[in-house]
Amino acid sequence: MLENDIRLAVTAALNEDLGLTPAATQEGTPDVSRAEKLLQNDITAQLIPADKQVEAILITREEGVFCGKAWAEQVFNQLGGEVALHWLVDDGDLVLPNQMLCELSGPARDILTGERTAMNFIQTLSGVASLTKIYVDRIGDTQTKLLDTRKTLPGLRLAQKYAVTCGGGHNHRIGLFDAFLIKENHIMACGSIKQAVDTAREMHADKKVEVEVESIAELTQALETQADIVMLDNFDINMMLDAVNLNNEYKAKGGETKLEVSGNVTLETIADFAKTGIDFISVGALTKHVKALDLSLRIQK
């Protein structure tokens, strides 16, 4: 899924930057390739002689976790594959201010046409990975795992979830198709927690079933259904402790349900939440409060 997603995301980004429709660049003609169509639409790059060859470097202006190599490579591949990239870092590496990330060489037009699109992917995904690491470090002395959510930038779901893993986090469900997450409105429409869980098991016995609860009473109902995961929505710390104790009682009887905390999770609260013994903490901010990593690309000669 990720490999195909990278190709499609880069295609859309290049079309957007170069003002072309998907149909216009789907395939080349006998006389003009798709890459040539793209390059011809960068009117500023056309000021440079077509045979001009240059060398350039990509650096980061700030500390963070690097992510996005495959997206940058795909950008220059779709522009014809004439640009050589020599990477000095890998996805997941910690980088420092003014550190060189990549050396590029090839046609000046190609490098200048692709630089912003490539950097947009790297700066965004590195921003996600960097923030994820900060959250992960806050709970590093616990057994709690940090999860992402579906609160992602449209069109970048898989990319951002990949970036979360580069920062040390873990993926929740990818979308609406790979696991059940039964929330308040689902419960109301189905009639009860038990009815919703039973129906889910009948429909897709191979899919994980998670139930969101808002009280200890609802938690008890969810534990009785043996849901795979129960999400504690906006529980305070005392309620979390009660939930962990209650779940331990069910585990002593053979239960295997995991507990997840969601809501009111910040860098200031996450450590205290994790110390309650909760299994997972999900944080939407990882992918929706994105601060891009500051990058710079400079032609050397």
Side-chain angles (χ1 to χ4, degrees), residues 161-238:
K161 283 184 171 284
Y162 170 77
V164 166
T165 67
C166 290
H170 300 266
N171 295 149
H172 202 276
R173 59 178 181 161
I174 300 300
L176 298 174
F177 60 93
D178 57 329
F180 290 96
L181 178 48
I182 301 168
K183 297 190 175 186
E184 178 184 10
N185 288 333
H186 300 103
I187 295 169
M188 290 293 294
C190 288
S192 68
I193 290 176
K194 184 179 186 307
Q195 183 62 47
V197 173
D198 287 348
T199 303
R201 297 287 193 206
E202 291 171 5
M203 290 175 56
H204 295 285
D206 59 324
K207 305 290 187 184
K208 285 188 178 294
V209 177
E210 180 168 359
V211 179
E212 181 184 75
V213 301
E214 299 178 346
S215 67
I216 295 297
E218 289 183 347
L219 169 62
T220 301
Q221 296 174 45
L223 291 175
E224 288 174 351
T225 70
Q226 299 183 40
D228 296 296
I229 306 172
V230 177
M231 178 188 292
L232 311 178
D233 183 39
N234 290 310
F235 275 40
D236 61 31
I237 288 182
N238 288 332

Side-chain angles (χ1 to χ4, degrees), residues 137-183:
D137 287 348
R138 294 293 174 93
I139 59 174
D141 58 348
T142 72
Q143 297 300 309
T144 303
K145 291 183 178 180
L146 179 70
L147 303 179
D148 55 22
T149 71
R150 286 171 47 240
K151 297 173 182 177
T152 53
L153 298 177
L156 290 179
R157 170 70 56 79
L158 291 184
Q160 287 192 287
K161 283 184 171 284
Y162 170 77
V164 166
T165 67
C166 290
H170 300 266
N171 295 149
H172 202 276
R173 59 178 181 161
I174 300 300
L176 298 174
F177 60 93
D178 57 329
F180 290 96
L181 178 48
I182 301 168
K183 297 190 175 186

